[in-house]
Amino acid sequence: MKRGHVETFVPPPPQPQPQLNQSSSCEGKMMEDNNNNMDELLAVLGYKVRSSEMAEVAQKLEQLEMVLSNDDIGSSTNVLNDTVHYNPSDLSSWVETMLSELNNPDLDPTQDRSDYDLRAIPGLSAFQIKQEQEVEEESNKRIRLGVGSWSDPGTELTRSVVLVDSQETGVRLVHALVACAEAIQGENLSLADALVKRVGTLAATQAGAMGKVATYFAQGLARRIYHTTETTVNSTVVPAMEEVLQMHFYESCPYLKFAHFTANQAILEAVTTARGVHVIDLGLNQGMQWPALMQALAVRPGGPPFFRLTGIVPTQTDNSGSVQELGWKLAQFAQAIGVEFEFKSLAVESLSDLEPEMFETRPESETVILNSVFELHRVLSKSGSIEKLLTTVKAIKPSIVTVVEQEANHNGIVFLDRFNEALHYYSSLFDSLEDSYSLLSQDRVMSEVYLGRQILNVVAAEGSDRVERHETFTQWKGRLGSAGFDPVPLGSSAFKQASMLLSLFAGGDGYRVEENDGCLMLGWQTRPLITTSAWKLAGAAVSRR
Amino acid sequence: MSEKRIISIFKKGNKKRQRVKQVAKFCINDHHDILVEILRRLDGPSLCSAACVCRLWSAVARNDSIWEELCFRQVAPRPSLSLRSVVSALGGYRCLYFVCIRPVLARLPKLLWSRDQLQLSLSLYCVHYYERLYVGAWLSDAPPSSLMFLRKPVNVV
């Protein structure tokens, strides 16, 4: 009568709810609690269980489960509803209370149900999730990150090993990955080596998104163990390949489209009456963002402004003349729709090399806008670069700065934290790719490769090679705030457009748009994945010129 | 019957024949502008059927103003006239309807069309136009198709 998969128990929420949701998944992220006695996995969920008590707690949970499944749901739920708990995050005492209540249903509930608070975990967004719903949803999901099964015999882990029957390969896969990362963190390379091979075999047997994610992570871990490096993991080998990959990623998922359309809307709102618009794009790529903006400017009441685009490209891609061609294509497009257009490209090694003079802004006749889609985080790889870049940005006095970044903290100092964050983040991403059944398989594969390269960079690279240094909106807010920028809330137009875009995508019920503190977050299920935000110079009025 | 009676019946018959002849002189196919006005009031599927009636009607149905009406019927307020030149440059309203508006309506039949929804459709249309013409010389296998997600799964092989 034991169920096949790992289960965790959700404590009854403050409102009276019919039954205890015994669903099988929860995020298996590990965060180092300040209090080292507490089990880290459970701490992520807000449950405080001492590592030493894990075995006991597990036993009691099993008992509880048996009692509940043996009983009539009706009779026990009344008891459960009325049971009042202090501090349900202290799992051990909670289970005690539950068991005693169920065994002695006559006891009067004397304690107050305290609001359990799922601690805001740095790295998770400010999503207000209804936890039981989340768990309910996730119980049906392919990716299951479970709790508590450390079944590796040879480990030198100091916490007590709690064996839980977990037949899900996915769960074992995740645990093996995390164990391997831990081993690397602890410089135990022989163990890590063994584990990474195990992960490889497990991943091969696991179909679906989880298997693919695990493969990439295993590859990253292997690189880390064996110190294989390419010259840069963010390899300069084939820049054109990078563009192809990104193009496929653009086509197949809504993330980049969301980024572009919401940023465009923010820009539009800032230039409603400008006679000249100068957009500086920190990452030009294929320029897919700009046709839509030009069209919107073309039909603006009052006629189109003069549109000037300065695109920044990395030095490696500048050789082939493809950038000039791109500019030419954009110019043709602009001519077709009747917008005066000027194009310039700047090739720099790194964004921090930019100087204000390079842009040749004409402040008296144009409104300057800065746009950065997934570019700012790369600058964090060298210390001091971001400050220099932001100083440069301030010097060109943009009316608005649109920033789109991944919503994850992959820039923590501790490798293990980064690893766990990344595992969680990319699992969600890959899962969203999996669900869009209308994808051409080639598109999906290319998108996965594109994301896989990011994974490799996060996991295996270090120092200035590690350019995928994603940070959360809160962190960026801090950085930009201290550099002298104030947030500009994105309007409801952007939100409506984003909602419509996402509802058009197959699998669209998995995507969510949320407005959060003036920025828009696109997420999959309950996990926010990318954030669009807009900023202006502190003290400047939002010049809707 | 009396003679007068017979003659009056005969005259009546003549008049009827004459009347019928006069009515038959009008043919809708001679008046394309009226045809356009009528077609403008049709909904999508009916319009597409009408365009299949005969060559003449197919040619008349290519009149972009018919499709413009179809695209913007539910949009309030009506977009400005400057949009017309832009959309024509990008391929016309008929194309816009088939590429963007119809799939959107198929996916979201209850959508309330306002400025934002229209803006999104136009953005998607721009992306489609841009990448069809300008991007993808190097994506040799298949032309880029950012709007693939709008198509029905059955069309995606």
Side-chain angles (χ1 to χ4, degrees), chain A residues 116-128:
Chain A
Y116 63 90
D117 92 82
L118 196 60
R119 253 141 264 245
I121 298 154
L124 261 194
S125 78
F127 257 20
Q128 303 302 321

Side-chain angles (χ1 to χ4, degrees), chain A residues 177 212-222 419 422-423 426 455 459:
Chain A
L177 277 170
K212 294 174 198 164
V213 173
T215 317
Y216 283 114
F217 274 92
Q219 213 180 332
L221 287 170
F419 184 83
L423 186 56
Y426 285 102
I455 294 175
V459 172

